[in-house]
Amino acid sequence: MSLSRRDFLKFCGGTAAGISISQMFIPEIVEALEKAATTRPAVLWLQGAGCSGCSVSLLNATHPKIADVLLKIIDVRYHPTIMAACGELALSAIDNTTKEGKYIVVLEGGIPIGANGKFCVVGEKKGKEITIANLFAETASKATAVLAIGTCAAFGGIQAANPNPTKTAGAVEFLKMEGIKTPVINIPGCPPHPDWQVGTIAHVLLYGIPELDSKNRPKIFYGRLLHDHCPYRGFFDDDTFCKDFNDKEGCRYGLGCKGPDAFCDAWKRRWNGGANWCVQGATCIACVEPKFWDEYAPFYE
Amino acid sequence: MAGRRAKTKKIVIDPVNRIEGHLKVEVEVSGGKVVDAHCSTGLFRGFEIILKGRDPRDASQITQRICGVCPTSHGTASVYCLDNAFGVKPTTNGRIVRNLILAGDHIWDHILHFYHLVALDYVKGPGVPPFVPRYEGNGIYKLPPEVNDFAVKGYLQALEIRRIGHEMMAIFGVRGPHVHGLVVGGATVVPTTDAIVGYLWRLKEVEKFYDEVYLPTVYTVAKYYPEGFNFGTGCKNFLSYGVYPLNDDHTEFLLKPGVYTEGEDKLFDPEKITEYVKYSFYDNRVTGLNPKNGKTPVANPEKKGAYSFTKAPRYDGKPHEVGPLARMWVANPILSKHASEFLGKTGEVRMRDFGERAFSVLGRLVARAEEGWLEVQAAKKWITELKPGAPVYVKADVPETGMGYGCTEAPRGSVGHWISIKDKKIAHYQVIAPTTWNVSPRDDAGTPGPIEQALIGTPVPDTKNPVNVVRVIRSFDP
């Protein structure tokens, strides 16, 4: 199996001849991943202040199927939504993994630092409560890399929206405050597309950390402005705008579409196995951008 | 011995995994049974504070982020609430598209709940992470090997089927989780024959799974764990706001609104809802309010005597269970042929034919699968009622001032939103999420919440492996 990094990037970008976008992960890539994963990397998936929507989105992965991701490619030692164990039994899996070393931390959700972190308590050990701030700092400091999955983990997300009552921070901001130097890859989106999640994990396993933009996002997925590639761009250039949501013959800009501010590839990747995507069915809210809840609201104007 | 208390042991489970959110449960066990329980939620984000001052239309996006497992239900409650405050009435096509989005969401979520959140308490998964570590011991996993294998296969199949269900939802919801297809004034996807066929085709696949795998597996689990009908009883009060309006005036529903309190059926009246905070991390001054003028200040996790970020909502002053069992008990519809078979009846059976056995861990799992089946049948009918190309949206301008509320049902229970608008901005917004009802702490009178009550009496033969405790908790899908 000789899959070059260049080919891999082509597949991710959906630009390789004959490969449709929804088939980002052709069997050869899955095979390469399985081989690379003979020592499947241990993953600790932590949830902070969030809604579990990123995990639900991950479950929608199609190529490879989610069962293959979970059982063949990565070794998920801790994931609150899917793991069998509870309580101290579950937390022991974290301790065992950090002792072994060589693991990746996935963070889903933001880190509230108000009230000494007590706005987000994620467990209890020997009668002492553990906050996500404690747990993330402790596990991230010894991790190979941190994957901040979703806009909450990357930039704070909805709870960090004005007036940010819980003083929630994203991973980069939080680790900087704590003086922890572990590299962070941001995979924002509310939620992030399953391909962005699995694709980034695959890149890390096969080739290391992918090329990132100034917001720590992999360029393979977040490198281009949606508006420049939008299939409705012709309407924009012609000044043909939709009158309301019943009207599909026009650009959605007048309905409040934030495509001109969003860097992601939803325009070609589409959502939910290609069933639909944001601008086709409605409008974009720029959910991949930092502070989008404040900077791009109101969404329907 | 007279006057001497039996020895009690405290068990703390924190985190309770395979749920949405952060939950700690503390139980006291005496004589092999739970005698007291406390549920503490571990997360405060301040949605009601963040919503203040924003464009009211954005509420349907913002509130979906309360829960990534049931965002569609929050989106639906929010657009009902906004329609009410704006004074707009969606078109028939708009109402049906909304129903199809919500049904798509319920249908896949029931599968996720049973297979990916609950099943590992009954089914022995493969011996690798994330299926281990797990509770071990005699009598925990009782399925014979071939039945267990079928259920494990079902777990993997269910991953696929729930994805297809999600695609179904996205056809009209635009994407999921966190749909874009729900807006004040209606929906955003105008039905085309493509969309209709795409939805129907997927629905048929999901229907097959319900009929051949999900429903049979639920009843098979029930056969091997008959004791599951004997514990997890709870408060036996049920509340349903009603879901899937069948006409544009929202006067008829697939599952009707209603209340079942202390053995009596009553009509639902949102004015009878109040929230209490004596045991929640909020200032005592905001206790006892109806959500239309309720307040959620920044929480104070150091508040003395309090133990949860969740308020204690009460209906007519009493705790009420919400969720599939509550809806199915209140509406009492005809169930699938699998239910008739299970009850040994030749004709049709209804939810209440389960009698007292319904108030249990297994009763909740059965009600949920049966509700999904009912939703699949209803969605098949609704999809044919759509008019391709007909409008789904009516113009909805933000009013200068307004008040409204919106009530619907998430897969896990009743969800209500309340708004007031001033100067075209949100002046006040309150949400009672489904889990708030079920996971509620004690109210000001000291009455425990539904899950806390349901835990009382749960058998815990081995305090190191309190599997029945988590079975009770997960039957509510907190």
Side-chain angles (χ1 to χ4, degrees):
Chain A
M1 171 66 214
S2 58
L3 180 76
S4 74
R5 183 168 170 276
R6 191 160 166 271
D7 287 338
F8 175 78
L9 294 182
K10 276 194 195 167
F11 288 129
C12 285
T15 53
I19 304 293
S20 79
I21 293 147
S22 63
Q23 288 173 311
M24 169 175 116
F25 289 99
I26 56 164
E28 283 88 335
I29 295 188
V30 179
E31 207 178 290
L33 279 169
E34 284 174 22
K35 264 189 207 156
T38 41
T39 50
R40 292 189 300 146
V43 172
L44 298 177
W45 189 298
L46 310 180
Q47 292 176 337
C51 69
S52 312
C54 305
S55 290
V56 173
S57 182
L58 175 70
L59 291 179
N60 288 334
T62 46
H63 303 278
K65 289 178 180 160
I66 186 61
D68 291 332
V69 176
L70 295 177
L71 296 175
K72 294 183 184 161
I73 297 171
I74 54 177
D75 179 11
V76 188
R77 304 282 183 86
Y78 192 88
H79 190 309
T81 319
I82 57 172
M83 72 188 301
C86 273
E88 291 202 23
L89 186 62
L91 295 172
S92 68
I94 297 182
D95 293 340
N96 294 339
T97 306
T98 52
K99 266 183 220 137
E100 282 169 31
K102 245 184 140 320
Y103 60 92
I104 294 168
V105 169
V106 173
L107 177 68
E108 174 179 2
I111 310 286
I113 52 174
N116 290 321
K118 287 187 178 178
F119 288 129
C120 186
V121 177
V122 293
E124 180 174 316
K125 236 189 311 187
K126 298 197 171 70
K128 204 171 161 263
E129 59 185 16
I130 303 165
T131 65
I132 186 64
N134 300 145
L135 185 64
F136 179 56
E138 199 185 304
T139 51
S141 62
K142 289 172 249 162
T144 319
V146 167
L147 267 55
I149 288 196
T151 304
C152 297
F155 308 119
I158 182 64
Q159 46 279 319
N162 186 43
N164 193 356
T166 53
K167 298 197 173 53
T168 293
V172 170
E173 190 188 349
F174 176 79
L175 293 181
K176 201 172 159 196
M177 283 188 282
E178 296 284 312
I180 295 168
K181 300 209 160 45
T182 309
V184 178
I185 305 171
N186 286 335
I187 307 166
C190 194
H193 196 289
D195 286 2
W196 304 340
Q197 303 187 43
V198 179
T200 305
I201 292 169
H203 194 290
V204 171
L205 298 188
L206 292 169
Y207 311 107
I209 291 175
E211 200 186 339
L212 305 177
D213 71 3
S214 62
K215 293 163 187 164
N216 286 33
R217 303 179 294 195
K219 282 189 179 173
I220 34 173
F221 303 115
Y222 303 90
R224 294 187 194 176
L225 186 65
L226 192 156
H227 185 59
D228 287 345
H229 302 273
C230 183
Y232 307 98
R233 178 60 185 258
F235 288 125
F236 177 85
D237 293 338
D238 284 351
D239 285 337
T240 308
F241 295 98
C242 296
K243 293 186 292 292
D244 62 28
F245 287 113
N246 294 318
D247 179 9
K248 299 296 173 198
E249 288 302 302
C251 166
R252 280 67 163 148
Y253 186 68
L255 304 176
C257 185
K258 305 298 186 256
D261 299 298
F263 282 82
C264 76
D265 63 6
W267 49 277
K268 63 176 173 181
R269 194 168 301 284
R270 303 172 63 88
W271 276 85
N272 301 92
N276 209 331
W277 74 286
C278 317
V279 180
Q280 177 183 316
T283 51
C284 166
I285 60 170
C287 73
V288 292
E289 296 303 319
K291 311 291 168 204
F292 79 95
W293 292 108
D294 292 330
E295 284 177 22
Y296 301 111
F299 298 125
Y300 300 105
E301 237 173 61
Chain B
M1 237 197 302
R4 194 167 151 197
R5 287 183 60 189
K7 213 172 137 199
T8 63
K9 187 175 163 52
K10 191 168 93 175
I11 307 174
V12 175
I13 305 177
D14 187 12
V16 177
N17 283 332
R18 280 185 279 127
I19 60 158
E20 196 289 302
H22 301 285
L23 176 66
K24 161 184 165 179
V25 168
E26 202 177 296
V27 293
E28 272 182 47
V29 177
S30 177
K33 285 191 169 171
V34 173
V35 292
D36 197 10
H38 287 79
C39 294
S40 315
T41 53
L43 177 65
F44 172 77
R45 288 170 291 175
F47 272 89
E48 282 107 338
I49 299 165
I50 291 162
L51 279 154
K52 227 173 163 171
R54 290 177 187 261
D55 187 313
R57 293 169 295 181
D58 290 357
S60 61
Q61 280 294 335
I62 293 167
T63 57
Q64 287 190 61
R65 273 68 186 180
I66 292 170
C67 174
V69 180
C70 55
T72 309
S73 314
H74 278 288
T76 304
S78 183
V79 293
Y80 289 165
C81 175
L82 297 172
D83 287 349
N84 190 223
F86 284 38
V88 295
K89 184 170 147 184
T91 62
T92 303
N93 241 19
R95 169 182 59 81
I96 298 171
V97 165
R98 282 178 175 179
N99 278 350
L100 288 168
I101 296 171
L102 188 61
D105 199 53
H106 276 236
I107 288 165
W108 73 254
D109 189 56
H110 293 335
I111 295 172
L112 175 94
H113 175 252
F114 178 72
Y115 280 98
H116 308 121
L117 303 182
V118 163
L120 295 178
D121 295 335
Y122 305 87
V123 177
K124 205 165 187 172
V128 292
F131 305 108
V132 287
R134 64 186 159 219
Y135 289 138
E136 301 282 2
N138 286 339
I140 291 188
Y141 307 101
K142 298 202 295 186
L143 301 179
E146 67 281 5
V147 178
N148 196 79
D149 285 354
F150 182 74
V152 170
K153 245 196 336 285
Y155 180 102
L156 298 175
Q157 235 181 318
L159 282 170
E160 285 297 293
I161 296 293
R162 64 149 293 288
R163 177 176 59 73
I164 293 170
H166 227 135
E167 289 174 12
M168 210 165 87
M169 185 190 76
I171 288 175
F172 294 112
V174 179
R175 68 138 182 207
H178 301 318
V179 300
H180 287 226
L182 293 168
V183 289
V184 54
T188 69
V189 174
V190 180
T192 56
T193 42
D194 251 22
I196 291 170
V197 171
Y199 192 99
L200 194 56
W201 177 82
R202 288 172 174 87
L203 186 59
K204 293 257 187 195
E205 243 184 287
V206 177
E207 179 183 31
K208 193 165 177 269
F209 182 79
Y210 265 82
D211 191 32
E212 293 175 6
V213 185
Y214 178 20
L215 280 159
T217 305
V218 169
Y219 287 111
T220 304
V221 167
K223 214 173 86 192
Y224 286 98
Y225 292 87
E227 70 278 16
F229 283 114
N230 304 332
F231 65 92
T233 310
C235 61
K236 296 204 252 184
N237 294 333
F238 297 116
L239 168 66
S240 168
Y241 294 162
V243 63
Y244 307 114
L246 299 178
N247 59 26
D248 298 345
D249 291 324
H250 290 215
T251 55
E252 267 179 66
F253 297 84
L254 177 69
L255 291 164
K256 68 172 186 190
V259 189
Y260 180 84
T261 310
E262 292 167 352
E264 264 184 70
D265 287 291
K266 293 176 180 173
L267 294 176
F268 165 59
D269 173 7
E271 292 294 320
K272 290 194 173 171
I273 299 170
T274 38
E275 289 194 289
Y276 298 93
V277 302
K278 185 173 172 190
Y279 294 96
S280 316
F281 296 124
Y282 304 99
D283 192 311
N284 280 334
R285 281 171 295 189
V286 305
T287 206
L289 301 173
N290 180 267
K292 75 170 186 281
N293 40 33
K295 290 189 176 71
T296 309
V298 177
N300 169 18
E302 307 293 347
K303 180 179 159 183
K304 287 240 153 49
Y307 64 93
S308 185
F309 283 114
T310 301
K311 292 181 184 175
R314 296 294 182 259
Y315 184 85
D316 214 1
K318 298 177 186 76
H320 280 70
E321 174 176 343
V322 300
L325 175 60
R327 290 193 286 270
M328 295 292 275
W329 189 264
V330 165
N332 198 27
I334 296 167
L335 308 181
S336 74
K337 64 174 197 287
H338 301 278
S340 302
E341 263 167 47
F342 182 77
L343 292 177
K345 299 272 166 64
T346 44
E348 286 170 345
V349 294
R350 292 175 181 270
M351 194 67 221
R352 292 195 186 187
D353 290 333
F354 275 86
E356 288 276 318
R357 290 201 296 168
F359 313 139
S360 66
V361 167
L362 284 177
R364 288 185 196 96
L365 301 186
V366 164
R368 189 154 191 158
E370 289 290 347
E371 180 185 83
W373 176 251
L374 192 74
E375 287 163 327
V376 167
Q377 303 312 316
K380 258 177 19 189
K381 185 163 168 281
W382 297 333
I383 191 90
T384 63
E385 293 171 0
L386 283 176
K387 296 211 167 32
V392 290
Y393 174 79
V394 291
K395 204 164 176 303
D397 290 325
V398 183
E400 205 60 49
T401 59
M403 271 181 91
Y405 74 95
C407 284
T408 189
E409 292 283 323
R412 59 179 52 150
S414 310
V415 50
H417 288 204
W418 285 259
I419 195 174
S420 354
I421 299 167
K422 218 178 141 185
D423 301 329
K424 298 193 171 193
K425 302 268 185 243
I426 298 173
H428 169 264
Y429 206 102
Q430 283 287 305
V431 172
I432 303 184
T435 292
T436 312
W437 284 99
N438 288 337
V439 89
S440 123
R442 280 141 171 81
D443 57 32
D444 290 11
T447 309
I451 296 182
E452 292 180 337
Q453 290 194 29
L455 283 165
I456 309 284
T458 300
V460 184
D462 169 10
T463 53
K464 287 221 164 13
N465 291 287
V467 68
N468 286 335
V469 171
V470 294
R471 283 173 178 160
V472 171
I473 299 165
R474 293 198 183 103
S475 71
F476 286 87
D477 186 22

